[in-house]
Amino acid sequence: MLSSRVGGGTVEVRLTALGTAVDGLLGHDFTGLSNDDIVEVLQRMEASLRKASAVGHRLAVESVERRIPEELGCRSVSDFLIGTLRISAADAARRVKGAKEVGTWHGADGGDMAEELPATAAAIRSGAIGPDHAAAVAKVMRKVPYGVGFARAPSPRRSWRTRPARSPPRTSPNSARTCSRI
């Protein structure tokens, strides 16, 4: 349900300004802009959308911590997002996962808990990366054994060189010449 007023003057003013800015851009004629200006608009819009995804993570965390999905009779946070935002199940699942990995959760004492991926969370808040990039970082980080720092993590290049060969490599007459150039 969309209401015309959100409790709290500051939030209402900011949402109204955001809506007005988007409406203004929707009605703007971009044909008069130079190519460089179009690139600039695209980049600034993307950074704003990325920051907006960080706000979405914060709101998802707030919804979970307040148990809003349960109060509304939803089976899960994903179901809550599907019904509330009219998004697909896959999109809802991505948003829930993103909020778990880069959202700021609160402990029993009300204090902020550290994000699972603090540098990634900061990059999203700054608009440097988006949710898809953050998901890719999280996927890689899940493969790193717990407690292994970057200094102790094996280099893929080093581990490749030290692995025993599984089978003799197939070579062609040009293999030696090609390898010598690398």
Side-chain angles (χ1 to χ4, degrees):
M1 175 170 112
L2 296 175
S3 67
S4 60
R5 185 102 174 115
V6 176
T10 305
V11 173
E12 176 62 31
V13 168
R14 290 180 177 161
L15 284 173
T16 301
L18 177 62
T20 302
V22 171
D23 289 342
L25 288 170
L26 279 171
H28 189 80
D29 180 16
F30 295 110
T31 58
L33 295 179
S34 69
N35 291 351
D36 290 342
D37 289 341
I38 293 291
V39 170
E40 176 76 16
V41 170
L42 282 168
Q43 289 172 337
R44 290 178 64 183
M45 276 293 304
E46 183 62 25
S48 295
L49 292 171
R50 291 171 177 174
K51 289 178 185 179
S53 72
V55 175
H57 290 146
R58 291 186 58 207
L59 290 168
V61 168
E62 194 69 28
S63 298
V64 170
E65 291 181 340
R66 291 184 185 201
R67 299 183 173 272
I68 294 172
E70 292 173 17
E71 286 181 17
L72 296 176
C74 298
R75 293 178 295 160
S76 66
V77 180
S78 291
D79 285 345
F80 167 69
L81 293 176
I82 291 166
T84 304
L85 304 178
R86 299 184 202 139
I87 59 176
S88 70
D91 193 14
R94 275 191 299 273
R95 291 182 191 204
V96 169
K97 195 173 208 177
K100 286 179 181 176
E101 294 166 341
V102 297
T104 302
W105 295 82
H106 303 93
D109 62 353
D112 291 350
M113 295 171 58
E115 295 104 343
E116 284 183 28
L117 303 169
T120 306
I124 288 177
R125 286 191 301 270
S126 73
I129 67 171
D132 292 338
H133 189 152
V137 169
K139 183 177 179 180
V140 169
M141 293 306 293
R142 281 191 292 273
K143 294 179 181 178
V144 176
Y146 182 76
V148 174
F150 288 110
R152 291 185 45 204
S155 165
R157 183 170 292 176
R158 191 174 342 133
S159 64
W160 172 75
R161 288 183 183 150
T162 59
R163 282 189 203 148
R166 292 190 180 117
S167 62
R170 287 195 245 167
T171 59
S172 69
N174 295 329
S175 299
R177 188 175 55 215
T178 302
C179 290
S180 68
R181 291 181 191 167
I182 298 177

